[in-house]
Amino acid sequence: MAHSVVPEAEAILDAEYPVLDHGFVRLLDYLGSDDRIVEAARVSFGSGTKSYRQDRGLIHYLLRNDHTSPFEQVNLTFHLKMPIFVARQWIRHRTARLNEISGRYSVMRDEFYLPVDQHISLQSEDNKQGRSDEPAGPELQRRVHEMLESEQKRNYETYSELIDMGIARELARIDLPLSLYTEFYWQIDLHNLFHFLKLRLDAHAQYEIRAFAETIFEIATKVCPIACEAFEEHVTDSIRLSQSERAALARLLRGEPEGLKGKALERFRNKLNLGHE
Ligand SMILES: Cc1cc2nc3c(=O)[nH]c(=O)nc-3n(C[C@H](O)[C@H](O)[C@H](O)COP(=O)(O)OP(=O)(O)OC[C@H]3O[C@@H](n4cnc5c(N)ncnc54)[C@H](O)[C@@H]3O)c2cc1C
């Protein structure tokens, strides 16, 4: 088949999926879908189109066995709007093509991210990179909200004043905070998108980037439903066991104690959703 047209994807082209307070994800374009992955894989075997069941089985087989190149035949282009601190994490993913709005050419808009109360939490005690699962109390949340909002307002006033004084836009912007929204076009193939999603859908990723990753995944599912189903089956909802964890699991299956202690035991039980003893 020359050109993949997926009705579910066509229906959402250009539609804005809101994320956080001012952000969005829009699918601008896509190239290929599940059928392209299958065709690309079958071109190597020289065999033609098979039934839906066989195609689905093939996609699961490819993903399960790290046959990654057929997934690279599918490309998605997004228009994204997100706070700069999220964009800084985003651009660490080097295997995409990106064009961002320039604060040297354009006057930046007065749009800043303000977390909702539920997401204002204290520093986590056991995760140096993360926030606690418990929201801070309402009084503290209100105070944080006020502090962030008044700083954002002040920063933008200074920026506007510098612009009005005729100062170059590239200089006027230098004190704008990381909560300011930016926009970019982002194009990535499905293999690398899955790598991005594996990292950024994970519970260890910051809530704000996770919110965008979840929306991206929802959109990707419209373009490649079978590949996304296989990704959930073999990647996000699967676990990787170390050598000693595999041995511990074998002991458990034989009805013996795991033979792990302390943090190693805790990690193992968490991976298997066994909870604490
Ligand atoms: C929860 C979390 C916490 C993080 N914390 C930090 C932090 O504290 N500090 C920090 O600096 N970063 C941090 N990062 C960023 C992280 O280290 C990676 O830079 C980011 O996740 C991108 O991953 P990647 O390089 O695999 O992805 P991509 O850049 O998309 O690359 C995909 C894959 O391509 C290959 N590849 C790409 N470019 C090259 C290359 N030049 N040479 C060799 N192989 C290449 C690698 O196999 C790579 O895995 C964090 C990421 C996560 C998810």
Side-chain angles (χ1 to χ4, degrees):
M1 196 195 291
H3 182 66
S4 309
V5 177
V6 184
E8 290 76 9
E10 296 290 319
I12 58 151
L13 280 180
D14 260 350
E16 252 185 48
Y17 282 64
V19 187
L20 305 182
D21 48 359
H22 304 293
F24 61 70
V25 175
R26 278 169 65 211
L27 177 68
L28 293 178
D29 210 352
Y30 65 97
L31 175 72
S33 77
D34 288 329
D35 53 6
R36 179 62 49 78
I37 299 167
V38 168
E39 288 158 19
R42 291 227 159 98
V43 85
S44 0
F45 315 145
S47 60
T49 313
K50 298 273 165 60
S51 66
Y52 171 84
R53 213 177 111 249
Q54 285 169 316
D55 286 353
R56 182 166 173 266
L58 176 60
I59 291 178
H60 275 260
Y61 168 85
L62 294 169
L63 208 79
R64 193 169 56 242
N65 293 291
D66 290 330
H67 290 306
T68 53
S69 53
F71 297 93
E72 289 174 32
Q73 298 283 348
V74 177
N75 267 270
L76 294 101
T77 306
F78 295 98
H79 179 190
L80 304 166
K81 183 175 172 193
M82 62 184 66
I84 292 173
F85 70 92
V86 179
R88 280 188 63 173
Q89 297 180 343
W90 205 280
I91 59 162
R92 297 301 304 280
H93 297 270
R94 298 158 289 175
T95 45
R97 292 155 292 282
L98 183 149
N99 289 95
E100 188 178 8
I101 185 173
S102 166
R104 298 180 70 193
Y105 280 102
S106 317
V107 173
M108 301 303 285
R109 272 192 283 186
D110 183 8
E111 284 178 325
F112 299 88
Y113 171 58
L114 265 181
V116 293
D117 287 352
Q118 176 200 352
H119 293 293
I120 299 178
S121 309
L122 297 178
Q123 174 62 43
S124 164
E125 284 181 11
D126 50 8
N127 175 0
K128 290 202 177 100
Q129 267 198 334
R131 63 190 89 166
S132 152
D133 291 337
E134 293 299 311
E139 183 50 34
L140 197 51
Q141 285 167 337
R142 193 187 51 76
R143 178 97 184 92
V144 170
H145 220 266
E146 271 173 18
M147 286 169 77
L148 291 176
E149 198 170 21
S150 67
E151 273 305 296
Q152 290 171 350
K153 194 163 173 287
R154 208 167 56 90
N155 270 304
Y156 199 79
E157 277 166 8
T158 305
Y159 174 67
S160 303
E161 210 177 315
L162 290 169
I163 296 280
D164 291 345
M165 284 158 64
I167 299 301
R169 289 186 287 273
E170 66 178 14
L171 273 178
R173 67 173 174 172
I174 65 174
D175 264 354
L176 288 173
L178 294 177
S179 56
L180 186 76
Y181 272 84
T182 185
E183 288 183 41
F184 52 94
Y185 275 24
W186 193 62
Q187 189 194 62
I188 191 160
D189 66 64
L190 192 63
H191 163 59
N192 283 296
L193 182 66
F194 280 164
H195 178 69
F196 167 86
L197 289 171
K198 175 176 183 279
L199 296 170
R200 301 303 182 176
L201 286 174
D202 189 272
H204 293 97
Q206 180 164 348
Y207 158 71
E208 283 80 5
I209 196 166
R210 234 182 318 125
F212 281 91
E214 280 163 10
T215 305
I216 293 258
F217 184 60
E218 184 184 338
I219 292 174
T221 303
K222 309 259 186 218
V223 181
C224 302
I226 305 178
C228 289
E229 166 202 289
F231 170 70
E232 280 188 311
E233 169 70 14
H234 304 293
V235 183
T236 46
D237 293 351
S238 74
I239 53 164
R240 192 166 74 181
L241 296 180
S242 67
Q243 188 183 47
S244 41
E245 287 168 342
R246 191 175 140 180
L249 182 60
R251 282 194 290 273
L252 269 189
L253 290 173
R254 289 197 297 267
E256 301 165 11
E258 306 95 328
L260 295 172
K261 281 194 255 173
K263 285 259 177 225
L265 177 61
E266 195 183 322
R267 252 195 321 270
F268 174 69
R269 295 190 68 86
N270 282 343
K271 277 188 187 180
L272 295 182
N273 276 340
L274 291 175
H276 298 284
E277 283 195 312

